[in-house]
Amino acid sequence: SFLQFFHDLQQHYTDFRSRVFWICFTANPQTWPQQELSRLLGARAVQSSFYLALSHCQEFVVVRNTRMNMYTRLWCVVELVLVRAFTATPIQVIGSMPQPCEASGAGIGLGARCSVPEDLAMLRATMQNANVDVNQLVAKVIQAPPGSRLYPGESEFRQVDSL
């Protein structure tokens, strides 16, 4: 739930009120007609508002939730891949995944769904050009303990204290 999302952020960040967060699922006008939203997001993922925000952030925070594996949604997978492939930004994981939760398989990572057919081809091409093992990265994020971080150039998550 939305309340759980903010609770997880507040629990992890002791300075929650002084931080700036760009929250992807609240940042784009989801109620716009599809053509207008597609125009806003751009013809390539690296032209999207998602990438613009990601390219300027100091930390990418994955706030997992117990109701849904977010990595069944293709835009969520692409955001993770863009951060890993094109920025020097650490990936911070907080929150818990649904239980049980598969870390790989049909419908997760490269097999994630997208509701807009035009976006599907563009997002898959972005992932293919990223030089990242997408399914392995997604599996690591799903399996990472809450409060762990993946630093640029490293292959395994490390536990960190609350910030």
Side-chain angles (χ1 to χ4, degrees), residues 14 24 35 46 77-78 90 93 96-97 118 121 132 139 153-154 156 160:
T14 56
C24 66
Q35 277 187 311
V46 294
V77 175
V78 169
V93 175
S96 298
M97 294 296 289
E118 295 81 16
V132 170
E154 294 186 6
E156 299 299 325
V160 294

Side-chain angles (χ1 to χ4, degrees), residues 43-78:
R44 296 178 33 213
V46 294
Q47 296 172 322
S48 69
S49 54
F50 292 101
Y51 181 71
L52 181 62
L54 295 173
S55 66
H56 289 88
C57 68
Q58 296 175 339
E59 181 178 49
F60 179 77
V61 183
V62 175
V63 184
R64 302 178 302 190
N65 72 79
T66 58
R67 293 183 181 210
M68 178 188 174
N69 178 348
M70 70 180 72
Y71 295 111
T72 62
R73 299 177 52 93
L74 195 56
W75 270 104
C76 294
V77 175
V78 169

Side-chain angles (χ1 to χ4, degrees), residues 2 5 12 15 25 31 45 77 83-84 87 89 108 110 118 124 128 141 146 149 152:
F2 199 64
F5 171 83
H12 186 74
D15 60 347
F25 68 86
T31 59
V77 175
V83 165
R84 188 65 173 165
T87 74
T89 305
I108 300 171
L110 284 171
E118 295 81 16
R124 292 204 189 282
Q128 288 174 345
V141 171
R149 183 177 287 169

Side-chain angles (χ1 to χ4, degrees), residues 11 22 32 34 37 39 42 55 77 80-81 85 100 103 110 113 120 131 134 142 149 151 155:
Q11 290 296 109
W22 185 84
W32 279 15
Q34 188 54 53
L37 183 56
R39 201 169 27 257
S55 66
V77 175
L80 182 65
V81 169
L110 284 171
R113 296 178 305 275
L120 184 65
N131 197 27
V134 175
I142 289 172
R149 183 177 287 169
Y151 291 93
S155 60

